[in-house]
Amino acid sequence: MTKVLIDYSQIYLQENIPLSEEEVNMIATQKKDFFKDFSGVVIAVIMITTLIAAFFLKNEFKNFKYYHYILFITAAVVLYLFFLIIHWLIYQYVKGRWKKDIENGKNRLKSIIISKHKTEGDEYIITFAGSNKGEKIRLPVEKKVYYEYETGTKVMVTYLKYSKEILSLDHDESV
């Protein structure tokens, strides 16, 4: 990995730019789609887990009383409710970030890409030089974008500060 020389006088951060109506609608769509597939996926996982448990207990079913079946169904419902509560808590956290982004707007940064890395979970991260010495701004990007830009490239990036979502990323020769 090569060391990138940074001229901080050419890096510029413009904060709190109001969001366009299209960007606000994008956030509203993300809110609406947050619970879209949740129930189906969790119910399928619980059914598979229940079938696996039933397979291992198949010889014990002849000794089951009615309260064992009620207990079995109750365990499945409690498991579903547990995942629902966890999902709801995550939604509350993300909803707070979306609210802050709508209130504070977006940021536009003229900068240089100082490093790139890929996580074990196939998440691609690009690190940009911040406007102050030693400041770094790390943002996740799509795989295509990750391979399109090299370390040391001068860019203009527009992003949501709290959601850490890039709205646009372009080459910038004026940096």
Side-chain angles (χ1 to χ4, degrees):
M1 185 156 132
T2 60
K3 182 92 172 156
V4 177
L5 297 175
I6 303 165
D7 180 7
Y8 286 97
S9 65
Q10 293 184 359
I11 294 176
Y12 177 70
L13 176 63
Q14 185 180 2
E15 297 182 303
N16 303 328
I17 303 167
L19 296 175
S20 68
E21 188 174 325
E22 179 182 307
E23 292 161 342
V24 173
N25 290 338
M26 177 193 68
I27 292 174
T29 302
Q30 288 176 342
K31 280 183 183 178
K32 192 171 59 176
D33 290 346
F34 197 82
F35 283 99
K36 189 176 183 180
D37 298 327
F38 172 75
S39 291
V41 170
V42 170
I43 288 173
V45 168
I46 290 173
M47 286 177 61
I48 291 169
T49 306
T50 305
L51 290 173
I52 291 171
F55 174 76
F56 287 113
L57 292 172
K58 66 182 173 189
N59 294 332
E60 300 297 322
F61 279 129
K62 61 184 171 221
N63 300 328
F64 268 33
K65 306 286 188 228
Y66 72 93
Y67 53 86
H68 289 113
Y69 293 106
I70 292 172
L71 187 63
F72 210 67
I73 291 169
T74 304
V77 170
V78 167
L79 193 60
Y80 176 78
L81 292 175
F82 172 75
F83 287 124
L84 182 64
I85 289 169
I86 296 297
H87 192 72
W88 181 79
L89 290 172
I90 292 169
Y91 175 72
Q92 293 304 315
Y93 173 72
V94 173
K95 188 171 86 170
R97 293 169 114 194
W98 286 327
K99 183 179 178 185
K100 286 180 185 178
D101 281 331
I102 290 172
E103 290 171 357
N104 297 319
K106 59 189 172 188
N107 292 352
R108 184 170 294 132
L109 176 68
K110 283 184 177 182
S111 185
I112 298 170
I113 296 175
I114 55 176
S115 70
K116 302 176 358 174
H117 70 277
K118 182 178 131 178
T119 64
E120 291 178 9
D122 278 343
E123 187 177 31
Y124 298 90
I125 308 288
I126 293 181
T127 304
F128 303 93
S131 55
N132 300 320
K133 186 172 181 150
E135 182 182 3
K136 298 176 183 176
I137 299 170
R138 291 180 175 87
L139 298 170
V141 295
E142 295 177 8
K143 184 177 183 178
K144 176 185 155 203
V145 174
Y146 179 82
Y147 288 113
E148 182 178 336
Y149 293 94
E150 294 297 322
T151 302
T153 305
K154 299 173 184 178
V155 294
M156 171 72 89
V157 60
T158 305
Y159 65 96
L160 297 174
K161 181 177 182 178
Y162 298 100
S163 299
K164 300 287 186 191
E165 184 176 337
I166 291 181
L167 301 174
S168 68
L169 179 63
D170 301 308
H171 289 282
D172 187 38
E173 297 306 322
S174 66
V175 177

